[in-house]
mmCIF file of all heavy atoms in Angstrom:
data_model
loop_
_atom_site.group_PDB
_atom_site.id
_atom_site.type_symbol
_atom_site.label_atom_id
_atom_site.label_comp_id
_atom_site.label_asym_id
_atom_site.label_seq_id
_atom_site.Cartn_x
_atom_site.Cartn_y
_atom_site.Cartn_z
ATOM 1 N N VAL A 1 99.542 98.964 97.128
ATOM 2 C CA VAL A 1 100.626 98.212 97.764
ATOM 3 C C VAL A 1 100.377 96.712 97.658
ATOM 4 O O VAL A 1 101.278 95.940 97.315
ATOM 5 C CB VAL A 1 100.788 98.641 99.235
ATOM 6 C CG1 VAL A 1 101.830 97.774 99.929
ATOM 7 C CG2 VAL A 1 101.181 100.109 99.333
ATOM 8 N N VAL A 2 99.142 96.286 97.931
ATOM 9 C CA VAL A 2 98.810 94.861 97.852
ATOM 10 C C VAL A 2 99.009 94.339 96.438
ATOM 11 O O VAL A 2 99.618 93.276 96.222
ATOM 12 C CB VAL A 2 97.360 94.615 98.323
ATOM 13 C CG1 VAL A 2 96.935 93.167 98.042
ATOM 14 C CG2 VAL A 2 97.214 94.916 99.806
ATOM 15 N N ALA A 3 98.506 95.084 95.439
ATOM 16 C CA ALA A 3 98.656 94.651 94.051
ATOM 17 C C ALA A 3 100.118 94.598 93.627
ATOM 18 O O ALA A 3 100.526 93.714 92.861
ATOM 19 C CB ALA A 3 97.872 95.593 93.133
ATOM 20 N N ASN A 4 100.908 95.515 94.141
ATOM 21 C CA ASN A 4 102.328 95.531 93.798
ATOM 22 C C ASN A 4 103.044 94.294 94.352
ATOM 23 O O ASN A 4 103.856 93.663 93.660
ATOM 24 C CB ASN A 4 102.974 96.803 94.341
ATOM 25 C CG ASN A 4 104.210 97.217 93.569
ATOM 26 O OD1 ASN A 4 104.198 97.258 92.337
ATOM 27 N ND2 ASN A 4 105.279 97.525 94.282
ATOM 28 N N ILE A 5 102.743 93.944 95.599
ATOM 29 C CA ILE A 5 103.364 92.767 96.199
ATOM 30 C C ILE A 5 102.928 91.500 95.475
ATOM 31 O O ILE A 5 103.716 90.563 95.287
ATOM 32 C CB ILE A 5 103.012 92.682 97.699
ATOM 33 C CG1 ILE A 5 103.554 93.900 98.441
ATOM 34 C CG2 ILE A 5 103.555 91.402 98.327
ATOM 35 C CD1 ILE A 5 103.128 93.983 99.883
ATOM 36 N N GLU A 6 101.679 91.461 95.024
ATOM 37 C CA GLU A 6 101.166 90.261 94.366
ATOM 38 C C GLU A 6 101.757 90.054 92.981
ATOM 39 O O GLU A 6 101.546 89.002 92.382
ATOM 40 C CB GLU A 6 99.639 90.324 94.280
ATOM 41 C CG GLU A 6 98.969 90.115 95.628
ATOM 42 C CD GLU A 6 97.468 89.986 95.509
ATOM 43 O OE1 GLU A 6 96.858 90.791 94.763
ATOM 44 O OE2 GLU A 6 96.898 89.081 96.144
ATOM 45 N N GLN A 7 102.517 91.025 92.476
ATOM 46 C CA GLN A 7 103.288 90.777 91.262
ATOM 47 C C GLN A 7 104.410 89.779 91.507
ATOM 48 O O GLN A 7 104.886 89.124 90.583
ATOM 49 C CB GLN A 7 103.883 92.092 90.742
ATOM 50 C CG GLN A 7 102.865 93.121 90.294
ATOM 51 C CD GLN A 7 103.533 94.373 89.775
ATOM 52 O OE1 GLN A 7 104.589 94.315 89.130
ATOM 53 N NE2 GLN A 7 102.941 95.528 90.041
ATOM 54 N N VAL A 8 104.791 89.654 92.789
ATOM 55 C CA VAL A 8 105.885 88.753 93.168
ATOM 56 C C VAL A 8 105.362 87.521 93.885
ATOM 57 O O VAL A 8 105.812 86.403 93.643
ATOM 58 C CB VAL A 8 106.899 89.505 94.067
ATOM 59 C CG1 VAL A 8 108.016 88.569 94.505
ATOM 60 C CG2 VAL A 8 107.459 90.710 93.341
ATOM 61 N N ILE A 9 104.394 87.702 94.772
ATOM 62 C CA ILE A 9 103.838 86.612 95.571
ATOM 63 C C ILE A 9 102.514 86.181 94.943
ATOM 64 O O ILE A 9 101.539 86.934 94.957
ATOM 65 C CB ILE A 9 103.624 87.043 97.028
ATOM 66 C CG1 ILE A 9 104.929 87.598 97.623
ATOM 67 C CG2 ILE A 9 103.096 85.891 97.864
ATOM 68 C CD1 ILE A 9 106.047 86.588 97.692
ATOM 69 N N GLU A 10 102.482 84.979 94.401
ATOM 70 C CA GLU A 10 101.307 84.493 93.684
ATOM 71 C C GLU A 10 100.339 83.780 94.630
ATOM 72 O O GLU A 10 100.742 82.941 95.434
ATOM 73 C CB GLU A 10 101.728 83.507 92.584
ATOM 74 C CG GLU A 10 102.682 84.073 91.549
ATOM 75 C CD GLU A 10 101.972 84.929 90.524
ATOM 76 O OE1 GLU A 10 100.728 84.913 90.506
ATOM 77 O OE2 GLU A 10 102.659 85.611 89.747
ATOM 78 N N GLY A 11 99.043 84.137 94.527
ATOM 79 C CA GLY A 11 97.987 83.389 95.198
ATOM 80 C C GLY A 11 97.991 83.460 96.709
ATOM 81 O O GLY A 11 97.472 82.548 97.367
ATOM 82 N N LYS A 12 98.533 84.519 97.295
ATOM 83 C CA LYS A 12 98.588 84.652 98.747
ATOM 84 C C LYS A 12 98.024 86.005 99.186
ATOM 85 O O LYS A 12 98.622 86.715 99.983
ATOM 86 C CB LYS A 12 100.033 84.498 99.243
ATOM 87 C CG LYS A 12 100.657 83.151 98.964
ATOM 88 C CD LYS A 12 99.988 82.058 99.783
ATOM 89 C CE LYS A 12 100.603 80.704 99.526
ATOM 90 N NZ LYS A 12 99.923 79.639 100.295
ATOM 91 N N THR A 13 96.838 86.342 98.677
ATOM 92 C CA THR A 13 96.265 87.653 98.963
ATOM 93 C C THR A 13 96.043 87.866 100.456
ATOM 94 O O THR A 13 96.363 88.929 101.003
ATOM 95 C CB THR A 13 94.947 87.832 98.210
ATOM 96 O OG1 THR A 13 95.183 87.675 96.803
ATOM 97 C CG2 THR A 13 94.360 89.213 98.459
ATOM 98 N N ALA A 14 95.497 86.870 101.148
ATOM 99 C CA ALA A 14 95.221 87.013 102.578
ATOM 100 C C ALA A 14 96.507 87.239 103.360
ATOM 101 O O ALA A 14 96.555 88.070 104.283
ATOM 102 C CB ALA A 14 94.485 85.780 103.100
ATOM 103 N N THR A 15 97.559 86.528 103.012
ATOM 104 C CA THR A 15 98.839 86.682 103.698
ATOM 105 C C THR A 15 99.430 88.064 103.437
ATOM 106 O O THR A 15 99.959 88.716 104.344
ATOM 107 C CB THR A 15 99.823 85.600 103.242
ATOM 108 O OG1 THR A 15 99.253 84.315 103.500
ATOM 109 C CG2 THR A 15 101.142 85.714 103.960
ATOM 110 N N VAL A 16 99.339 88.527 102.201
ATOM 111 C CA VAL A 16 99.868 89.844 101.847
ATOM 112 C C VAL A 16 99.110 90.940 102.593
ATOM 113 O O VAL A 16 99.714 91.881 103.135
ATOM 114 C CB VAL A 16 99.785 90.052 100.323
ATOM 115 C CG1 VAL A 16 100.108 91.499 99.959
ATOM 116 C CG2 VAL A 16 100.743 89.106 99.606
ATOM 117 N N ARG A 17 97.794 90.819 102.657
ATOM 118 C CA ARG A 17 96.994 91.841 103.347
ATOM 119 C C ARG A 17 97.287 91.846 104.847
ATOM 120 O O ARG A 17 97.293 92.906 105.480
ATOM 121 C CB ARG A 17 95.512 91.607 103.084
ATOM 122 C CG ARG A 17 95.095 91.876 101.641
ATOM 123 C CD ARG A 17 93.624 91.538 101.415
ATOM 124 N NE ARG A 17 92.748 92.461 102.121
ATOM 125 C CZ ARG A 17 92.326 93.628 101.622
ATOM 126 N NH1 ARG A 17 92.738 94.012 100.418
ATOM 127 N NH2 ARG A 17 91.516 94.399 102.319
ATOM 128 N N LEU A 18 97.522 90.664 105.421
ATOM 129 C CA LEU A 18 97.849 90.616 106.840
ATOM 130 C C LEU A 18 99.199 91.266 107.101
ATOM 131 O O LEU A 18 99.381 91.975 108.098
ATOM 132 C CB LEU A 18 97.841 89.175 107.338
ATOM 133 C CG LEU A 18 98.193 88.963 108.816
ATOM 134 C CD1 LEU A 18 97.277 89.790 109.716
ATOM 135 C CD2 LEU A 18 98.108 87.492 109.182
ATOM 136 N N ALA A 19 100.168 91.037 106.220
ATOM 137 C CA ALA A 19 101.480 91.673 106.375
ATOM 138 C C ALA A 19 101.354 93.192 106.321
ATOM 139 O O ALA A 19 101.978 93.915 107.119
ATOM 140 C CB ALA A 19 102.437 91.177 105.290
ATOM 141 N N LEU A 20 100.530 93.702 105.408
ATOM 142 C CA LEU A 20 100.315 95.147 105.327
ATOM 143 C C LEU A 20 99.582 95.651 106.568
ATOM 144 O O LEU A 20 99.885 96.742 107.078
ATOM 145 C CB LEU A 20 99.529 95.485 104.059
ATOM 146 C CG LEU A 20 99.187 96.965 103.846
ATOM 147 C CD1 LEU A 20 100.455 97.810 103.788
ATOM 148 C CD2 LEU A 20 98.356 97.155 102.580
ATOM 149 N N ALA A 21 98.624 94.865 107.072
ATOM 150 C CA ALA A 21 97.897 95.264 108.278
ATOM 151 C C ALA A 21 98.835 95.405 109.466
ATOM 152 O O ALA A 21 98.690 96.327 110.285
ATOM 153 C CB ALA A 21 96.793 94.251 108.589
ATOM 154 N N VAL A 22 99.810 94.515 109.584
ATOM 155 C CA VAL A 22 100.778 94.600 110.681
ATOM 156 C C VAL A 22 101.604 95.879 110.557
ATOM 157 O O VAL A 22 101.883 96.552 111.558
ATOM 158 C CB VAL A 22 101.683 93.361 110.694
ATOM 159 C CG1 VAL A 22 102.825 93.529 111.690
ATOM 160 C CG2 VAL A 22 100.871 92.116 111.041
ATOM 161 N N LEU A 23 101.991 96.240 109.340
ATOM 162 C CA LEU A 23 102.730 97.486 109.134
ATOM 163 C C LEU A 23 101.899 98.687 109.572
ATOM 164 O O LEU A 23 102.384 99.577 110.280
ATOM 165 C CB LEU A 23 103.124 97.620 107.664
ATOM 166 C CG LEU A 23 103.711 98.979 107.238
ATOM 167 C CD1 LEU A 23 105.030 99.255 107.957
ATOM 168 C CD2 LEU A 23 103.910 99.028 105.723
ATOM 169 N N LEU A 24 100.626 98.716 109.179
ATOM 170 C CA LEU A 24 99.763 99.848 109.503
ATOM 171 C C LEU A 24 99.372 99.857 110.980
ATOM 172 O O LEU A 24 98.968 100.897 111.500
ATOM 173 C CB LEU A 24 98.501 99.815 108.624
ATOM 174 C CG LEU A 24 98.748 99.879 107.115
ATOM 175 C CD1 LEU A 24 97.437 99.970 106.361
ATOM 176 C CD2 LEU A 24 99.661 101.052 106.760
ATOM 177 N N ALA A 25 99.488 98.713 111.647
ATOM 178 C CA ALA A 25 99.235 98.645 113.090
ATOM 179 C C ALA A 25 100.477 98.981 113.892
ATOM 180 O O ALA A 25 100.472 98.838 115.123
ATOM 181 C CB ALA A 25 98.720 97.259 113.470
ATOM 182 N N GLU A 26 101.542 99.395 113.209
ATOM 183 C CA GLU A 26 102.815 99.760 113.841
ATOM 184 C C GLU A 26 103.406 98.578 114.613
ATOM 185 O O GLU A 26 103.943 98.737 115.708
ATOM 186 C CB GLU A 26 102.634 100.970 114.766
ATOM 187 C CG GLU A 26 102.089 102.204 114.064
ATOM 188 C CD GLU A 26 101.786 103.338 115.016
ATOM 189 O OE1 GLU A 26 102.727 104.105 115.336
ATOM 190 O OE2 GLU A 26 100.626 103.447 115.442
ATOM 191 N N GLY A 27 103.295 97.402 114.003
ATOM 192 C CA GLY A 27 103.798 96.195 114.638
ATOM 193 C C GLY A 27 104.951 95.590 113.865
ATOM 194 O O GLY A 27 105.524 96.203 112.954
ATOM 195 N N HIS A 28 105.275 94.362 114.232
ATOM 196 C CA HIS A 28 106.371 93.627 113.611
ATOM 197 C C HIS A 28 105.875 92.239 113.223
ATOM 198 O O HIS A 28 104.961 91.688 113.849
ATOM 199 C CB HIS A 28 107.558 93.525 114.571
ATOM 200 C CG HIS A 28 107.971 94.845 115.158
ATOM 201 N ND1 HIS A 28 108.642 95.797 114.429
ATOM 202 C CD2 HIS A 28 107.771 95.373 116.392
ATOM 203 C CE1 HIS A 28 108.862 96.854 115.198
ATOM 204 N NE2 HIS A 28 108.340 96.621 116.388
ATOM 205 N N LEU A 29 106.484 91.669 112.199
ATOM 206 C CA LEU A 29 105.972 90.444 111.594
ATOM 207 C C LEU A 29 107.026 89.347 111.641
ATOM 208 O O LEU A 29 108.196 89.576 111.300
ATOM 209 C CB LEU A 29 105.570 90.711 110.137
ATOM 210 C CG LEU A 29 104.903 89.561 109.373
ATOM 211 C CD1 LEU A 29 103.558 89.210 109.990
ATOM 212 C CD2 LEU A 29 104.729 89.942 107.912
ATOM 213 N N LEU A 30 106.605 88.162 112.060
ATOM 214 C CA LEU A 30 107.454 86.977 112.062
ATOM 215 C C LEU A 30 106.897 86.000 111.031
ATOM 216 O O LEU A 30 105.738 85.558 111.143
ATOM 217 C CB LEU A 30 107.476 86.320 113.450
ATOM 218 C CG LEU A 30 108.295 85.033 113.584
ATOM 219 C CD1 LEU A 30 109.772 85.301 113.303
ATOM 220 C CD2 LEU A 30 108.111 84.424 114.966
#
């Protein structure tokens, strides 16, 4: 999932992983 998102979002690995972490924590992201 992270690698797939990084095809679109360049150079933001930490941000992408945090967004995925919020999904897996059953939360919501602003």
Side-chain angles (χ1 to χ4, degrees):
V1 175
V2 171
N4 205 48
I5 298 174
E6 288 188 315
Q7 296 181 36
V8 178
I9 306 297
E10 301 281 349
K12 298 292 180 182
T13 302
T15 302
V16 170
R17 291 176 69 87
L18 179 56
L20 178 59
V22 171
L23 171 64
L24 300 185
E26 302 174 85
H28 309 286
L29 185 65
L30 178 63

